[in-house]
Amino acid sequence: MSDAQSVDVLVAGGGPAGLSAGLALAARGLQVAIVDPLEDPRHDRRTSALMVASVAMLRALGVWQRCVEAAAPLRTMRIIDDTGRLLRAPGVTFEASEIGEPAFGWNIPNAALVAALREQIADTAAITLIHSTVEQVDPEEDGVAVTLADGRRLSAALLVGADGRGSVCRTAAGIDTDSWSYDQAAIVLNLRHDRPHNDVSTEFHRPPGPFTLVPLPGNRSSLVWVETRRMAEAVATYSDDELAREIERISHRILGRVTIDGPRGSYPLSGLIARRYAANRVALVGEAAHVVPPIGAQGLNLGLRDGAALADLAGDPALSGGDPGGDPGSNPVLIAYDRRRRVDILSRTAAIDMLNRTLLADLLPAQMLRSAGLAALGTIGPLRRMAMREGVAPAYGLPEMMRG
Ligand SMILES: Cc1cc2nc3c(=O)[nH]c(=O)nc-3n(C[C@H](O)[C@H](O)[C@H](O)COP(=O)(O)OP(=O)(O)OC[C@H]3O[C@@H](n4cnc5c(N)ncnc54)[C@H](O)[C@@H]3O)c2cc1C
């Protein structure tokens, strides 16, 4: 590794999870390089609902101040049972004010978030952003050697695998995965509408999956519409006008007349979970570690918690053996990271899967379970508040920079 450029931490992947992990690690005094092939990150047309803990992290990193104007607060969340089944759950409305928060979170276009993360990185002397692809990873006893597509060689004490669901870092570390898919796809687009959303996010529970309207600034909203794959293919052939009328019908015109604002995307629903989150000098963050269906706005919130937790541990002299200058990729750091992330990732993946399957199921017991759960959330005060708090931030093990 002698002719290679050396850093404390190399991050493979400059999506939102990798960029925020890089900033969090640099905030702990570590020298960081981030590798991503994309020169222009504006290709991602999704929006992300980020809960207050995630926003606290982005604020602490100096990122939120750069993109807050592109975000809209989520002050009220409403679930409406539109399954049309005999046994229907009651409608439930949650107000952030009930748990003393101004909002549960904010909805922001991924492109605006990634642009703000990149701006902050450009102003951070401890981080270098390299436009290339990680091609080969060789974990060694005292560090990891990485070869890029342009032939450059880098070495680091810790490699952060933030290179998405097909992660080469995960494979190089010898980490297996469990993966599964659903016969559903999420149709994603933005809308303009003539009635205000009043900062209310509305989720219609329908038999093919949730249909969720999430506020954007002004009279605009993003839509995540989960359908069967066959129906999603049919919807892709609709003209903008036909699509707008269908959205008005499904949403019972709660936003009045709607028009389609920009291009549409379609994402087949699937799940993936790494069997370990760290091994052999590699720590996985974001979708390299876990992919969940876009139900309940959990994916990137989990990914940001990965990066913040890793920074807590890699920057802890008791684990890395130095202040900072120790070994951020040491076994104690990796073992602690794997342990720290396990409950959060597994419990949320299981909850999303269960919610999705009880919606799809035509079986009465599954419908009873879902209706009873929602009825309890609607009427039992302490349970309601506990669920709201847990949705905003996990009660256990919240990383330091997310505590606001
Ligand atoms: C329809 C939809 C709606 C969603 N809504 C929400 C929401 O409301 N709230 C929420 O929290 N989450 C949401 N999510 C999830 C969220 O979008 C993802 O969790 C998040 O975008 C994943 O970010 P990431 O950085 O892990 O991965 P990615 O964005 O996939 O980034 C991976 C990066 O790695 C780079 N890369 C790949 N291979 C290499 C390599 N070999 N070397 C170097 N770089 C490499 C790629 O260029 C890319 O930039 C949603 C997802 C979907 C599909």
Side-chain angles (χ1 to χ4, degrees), residues 201-224:
S201 167
T202 307
E203 186 167 310
F204 293 91
H205 281 186
R206 306 172 63 243
F211 174 102
T212 311
L213 291 160
V214 194
L216 283 169
N219 275 8
R220 294 169 59 239
S221 293
S222 56
L223 170 66
V224 180

Side-chain angles (χ1 to χ4, degrees), residues 10-89:
L10 182 66
V11 181
L19 295 173
S20 51
L23 279 166
L25 287 154
R28 299 289 180 173
L30 296 162
Q31 285 292 326
V32 177
I34 303 177
V35 180
D36 193 285
L38 299 177
E39 300 265 353
D40 180 359
R42 278 173 299 184
H43 68 289
D44 193 337
R45 306 215 172 264
R46 289 171 292 182
T47 67
S48 290
L50 297 180
M51 299 302 146
V52 286
S54 300
V55 171
M57 172 188 184
L58 294 168
R59 199 173 273 131
L61 294 174
V63 175
W64 193 245
Q65 302 77 328
R66 296 177 185 269
C67 56
V68 61
E69 284 180 7
L74 312 175
R75 298 191 203 283
T76 305
M77 290 198 177
R78 182 166 53 172
I79 299 175
I80 295 172
D81 187 330
D82 215 2
T83 54
R85 288 176 177 143
L86 193 60
L87 200 62
R88 281 208 251 164

Side-chain angles (χ1 to χ4, degrees), residues 7 23 28 39 51 65 92 96 114 121 127 151 160-161 225 230 257-258 282 293 296 298 315 348 376:
V7 286
L23 279 166
R28 299 289 180 173
E39 300 265 353
M51 299 302 146
Q65 302 77 328
V92 188
V114 168
I121 282 168
I127 309 185
V160 178
W225 171 7
R230 205 157 59 88
R257 210 172 161 75
V258 307
V282 176
Q298 294 295 323
R348 278 163 210 268

Side-chain angles (χ1 to χ4, degrees), residues 277 338-348 396:
Y277 310 125
D338 185 66
R339 243 185 237 146
R340 180 74 63 88
R341 295 304 299 136
R342 195 150 288 274
V343 172
D344 192 18
I345 293 171
L346 292 180
S347 63
R348 278 163 210 268
Y396 169 74

Side-chain angles (χ1 to χ4, degrees), residues 230-365:
R230 205 157 59 88
M231 186 59 192
E233 279 166 25
V235 169
T237 66
Y238 291 4
S239 69
D240 275 5
D241 206 43
E242 286 168 332
L243 184 57
R245 300 297 79 80
E246 184 62 1
I247 290 168
E248 284 171 9
R249 187 187 69 76
I250 296 175
S251 63
H252 303 277
R253 299 197 91 186
I254 56 168
L255 296 174
R257 210 172 161 75
V258 307
T259 49
I260 311 297
D261 186 19
R264 323 157 184 183
S266 178
Y267 295 82
L269 255 60
S270 61
L272 175 146
I273 225 167
R275 294 210 180 139
R276 295 166 75 185
Y277 310 125
N280 295 321
R281 300 231 155 236
V282 176
L284 304 177
V285 306
E287 291 204 335
H290 43 74
V291 178
V292 293
I295 296 173
Q298 294 295 323
L300 185 53
N301 285 288
L302 276 174
L304 295 179
R305 292 205 284 280
D306 296 337
L310 184 60
D312 276 359
L313 300 167
D316 179 353
L319 294 169
S320 70
D323 195 13
D327 182 356
S330 70
N331 263 334
V333 171
L334 298 186
I335 290 166
Y337 177 69
D338 185 66
R339 243 185 237 146
R340 180 74 63 88
R341 295 304 299 136
R342 195 150 288 274
V343 172
D344 192 18
I345 293 171
L346 292 180
S347 63
R348 278 163 210 268
T349 307
I352 295 165
D353 183 66
M354 191 175 80
L355 173 63
N356 192 30
R357 288 184 198 278
T358 56
L359 260 182
L360 294 175
D362 263 333
L363 298 172
L364 202 59

